[in-house]
Amino acid sequence: MKGAHHDPIDHSRTTQQHAGESFIDTLWLPGLWLIGLGVVTIAGMLAAMAYQHDEWLLPLCLVAGALVTAGGLLVALEHHRVKRVEERWFADHPDRRPHLPTS
């Protein structure tokens, strides 16, 4: 979807506007890649433990923690940006505010 990073919210076709947010908004990708690299680093840490290379455990643990934390932070920041875009859109279109379902 070209240009979806400007307004990745589906305003017209669903009542759950954020259902496919991570697929539509490509600005999530750096955070997802960092989380993926962190998971691969955790696998390397487990391999270092299995082969008894204890000198690699602490550096791999620190790198994995930093990668997963940075990736999660980027994903959270992008989600907050999307929420700000959504609130701005609702301010411009007050008649289109979604009705929350009652249970």
Side-chain angles (χ1 to χ4, degrees):
M1 187 177 271
K2 192 171 190 173
H5 63 277
H6 295 296
D7 190 8
I9 300 150
D10 190 1
H11 298 286
S12 61
R13 292 180 288 172
T14 183
T15 58
Q16 298 175 347
Q17 288 86 10
H18 297 278
E21 182 179 338
S22 62
F23 294 111
I24 296 170
D25 187 14
T26 57
L27 295 178
W28 279 49
L29 288 177
L32 295 177
W33 278 105
L34 286 176
I35 292 171
L37 284 173
V39 169
V40 169
T41 307
I42 290 171
M45 188 174 63
L46 291 173
M49 277 186 358
Y51 289 111
Q52 297 177 350
H53 287 284
D54 295 334
E55 67 276 6
W56 285 97
L57 288 179
L58 183 61
L60 286 174
C61 182
L62 293 174
V63 169
L67 286 172
V68 171
T69 302
L73 184 63
L74 284 176
V75 167
L77 287 173
E78 178 57 21
H79 180 69
H80 286 295
R81 185 193 70 84
V82 169
K83 293 292 283 186
R84 283 193 310 271
V85 168
E86 180 183 33
E87 288 301 319
R88 195 172 328 130
W89 191 87
F90 283 134
D92 293 341
H93 304 89
D95 57 328
R96 299 287 307 266
R97 181 142 316 255
H99 296 68
L100 296 175
T102 58
S103 45

